[in-house]
Structure formats: C-alpha cells, structure tokens
C-alpha cells in the first residue's frame, strides 16, 4: 500500500538507499539533458544542526563574516519546555539546531548540508 518511493520505516530500506536512488535518477536525467528537482523530508534535520559545523561551512562557502558571526547568537541561548494538558515541565537548554519556523532556518540548513555532495 506504500508508494515505492517511501523509504522511512520500511524493512531493507535506508536513507542510504534513498540517496543512492536519487543520485542514480539524477545522473540519468542529466545525461538526457533534463532538469531535476527533489523534495526530501529528513526527520529532525533542523534539530541536529551543529553550530560549530555550520559556522565552519559558512566560512568555507565564502559567506560574509558578519553573517557568519550572526548565526552563533541566533542559534544560542535557546530552551524548550514541554507542556501537556496544562502541566508545564522543567525547561531544558537546547544546544543544537536552527530555530524552526524562522525564514532563515531552511537557508542555514541548506548551507549546512551543502558540503555533502558537490
């Protein structure tokens, strides 16, 4: 009942398999001089962005130093608190991730991943 392109939560299918299929189909399309697009959803992707790694990657990309310096406080001094049925839990500091809901979060995440594939 699942689409053949569904890789999450399926036996004998992993993120590595999904990337391999994507790369293969992209290379085939490029050989045919076609344009390729992809939409991916990586679970908890924004939550796992490392500040030091992102800063290093932005420098490697030649991003203006003031913008690189801006990302550190943007991603610092954040916390979360779980609220269930009106009961608030203790607040916990968040040390990784880009703030979700911010218009800049997808841009920073794209820069963060940009070094994986040429």
């Amino acid at each position: 009942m699942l689409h053949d392109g569904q890789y999450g939560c399926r036996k004998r299918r992993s993120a590595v398999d999904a990337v391999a299929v994507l790369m293969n189909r992209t290379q085939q399309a490029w050989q045919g001089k076609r344009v390729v697009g992809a939409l991916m959803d990586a679970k908890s992707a924004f939550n796992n962005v490392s500040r030091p790694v992102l800063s290093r990657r932005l420098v490697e990309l030649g991003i203006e130093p003031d913008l690189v310096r801006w990302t550190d406080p943007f991603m610092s001094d954040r916390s979360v608190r779980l609220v269930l049925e009106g009961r608030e839990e203790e607040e916990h500091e968040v040390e990784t991730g880009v703030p979700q809901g911010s218009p800049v979060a997808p841009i920073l995440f794209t820069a963060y991943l940009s070094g994986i594939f040429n």
Side-chain angles (χ1 to χ4, degrees):
M1 307 248 344
L2 295 174
H3 185 276
D4 192 48
Q6 170 70 33
Y7 283 78
C9 300
R10 292 185 75 177
K11 290 182 181 178
R12 296 181 300 279
R13 290 196 181 195
S14 68
V16 173
D17 295 323
V19 170
V21 168
L22 177 62
M23 290 176 62
N24 181 272
R25 290 181 182 170
T26 299
Q27 289 172 348
Q28 289 175 355
W30 286 345
Q31 288 171 352
K33 305 275 190 229
R34 291 176 292 176
V35 176
V36 178
L39 176 62
M40 296 174 62
D41 179 20
K43 182 179 179 181
S44 300
F46 284 15
N47 296 342
N48 292 299
V49 172
S50 162
R51 280 194 334 252
V53 173
L54 175 61
S55 292
R56 187 171 53 248
R57 184 65 193 140
L58 293 174
V59 169
E60 290 169 358
L61 290 169
I63 302 298
E64 184 178 322
D66 286 340
L67 290 174
V68 175
R69 282 190 296 274
W70 173 84
T71 61
D72 191 54
F74 176 71
M75 295 173 61
S76 300
D77 299 321
R78 297 172 38 236
S79 61
V80 296
R81 179 189 310 246
L82 183 64
V83 179
L84 291 173
E85 297 179 357
R87 187 172 141 231
E88 293 186 15
E89 295 293 326
E90 186 177 320
E91 194 171 271
H92 296 276
E93 186 176 328
V94 176
E95 296 181 14
T96 61
V98 292
Q100 294 185 36
S102 167
V104 76
I107 297 167
L108 291 175
F109 184 71
T110 301
Y112 183 73
L113 286 185
S114 67
I116 293 176
F117 303 107
N118 290 333

